[in-house]
Amino acid sequence: MISKKMAQTLNKQLNNELYSAYLYLSMSSFTTFIGLKGAANWFMVQYQEEMTHAMKFYDYLNSQGEHAQLAAIAAPPTEFGTLLSMFEQTLKHEQFITKCINDLMDQAVKEKDHATQIFLQWFVTEQIEEEGNDNDIIARLKLVGDSTQGLMMIDRDLAARVFTPPAAPA
Ligand code: OFO
């Protein structure tokens, strides 16, 4: 059982995760449009991951006797600039998500809601990985600067990313 206030904030995060999915889907289309097929694949995998994040919140709400209250999803941008700028925007968005998860965790601790703390632990770890991936790619993009050859090399690497559904809880 979770409090009504907790259910409300978990529902808000469900919406944030759906927005994340929407944002990366839009980025995937944009990178296809500008000829960066590898980056398009990377953002498509990111979209798929975000959908699994959203579904974790959806399932958790039901498991706690609540239900998902689906709200409107804001429209993401449709133009993103350079690939470096796109990954900087991605990092900024993920830092916002990290803050949301931290705030949720603070609320769960305050309410002595141990179940929600355990549930959120997965997201705390996930955010370390997400920010780390973005920082790595940003560093590489800065390194190659204006080199088209360098950009193409990074794009080839981004093409290798595959979607792996998160393991079911033990
Ligand atoms: Fe990008 O981790 Fe969920 O939102």
Side-chain angles (χ1 to χ4, degrees), residues 75-149:
T78 52
E79 304 275 336
F80 297 97
T82 64
L83 193 60
L84 174 59
S85 163
M86 289 184 82
F87 275 98
E88 284 170 341
Q89 291 169 66
T90 298
L91 176 63
K92 199 167 159 221
H93 179 68
E94 289 306 328
Q95 286 167 339
F96 162 72
I97 295 293
T98 300
K99 189 187 174 311
C100 294
I101 299 292
N102 287 343
D103 289 349
L104 266 168
M105 185 62 105
D106 286 349
Q107 190 184 330
V109 169
K110 200 169 137 209
E111 292 189 17
K112 296 190 171 63
D113 179 345
H114 295 253
T116 303
Q117 287 175 53
I118 291 168
F119 168 72
L120 289 171
Q121 194 59 54
W122 185 91
F123 286 93
V124 172
T125 310
E126 174 68 10
Q127 286 310 115
I128 298 170
E129 193 190 310
E130 294 228 359
E131 288 193 30
N133 289 342
D134 298 339
N135 276 316
D136 283 351
I137 298 167
I138 288 169
R140 291 186 63 202
L141 284 166
K142 282 187 174 162
L143 212 60
V144 301
D146 290 335
S147 157
T148 307
Q149 206 185 358

Side-chain angles (χ1 to χ4, degrees), residues 155-167:
D155 194 56
R156 256 201 313 275
D157 291 349
L158 297 177
R161 187 181 189 195
V162 281
F163 172 63
T164 321

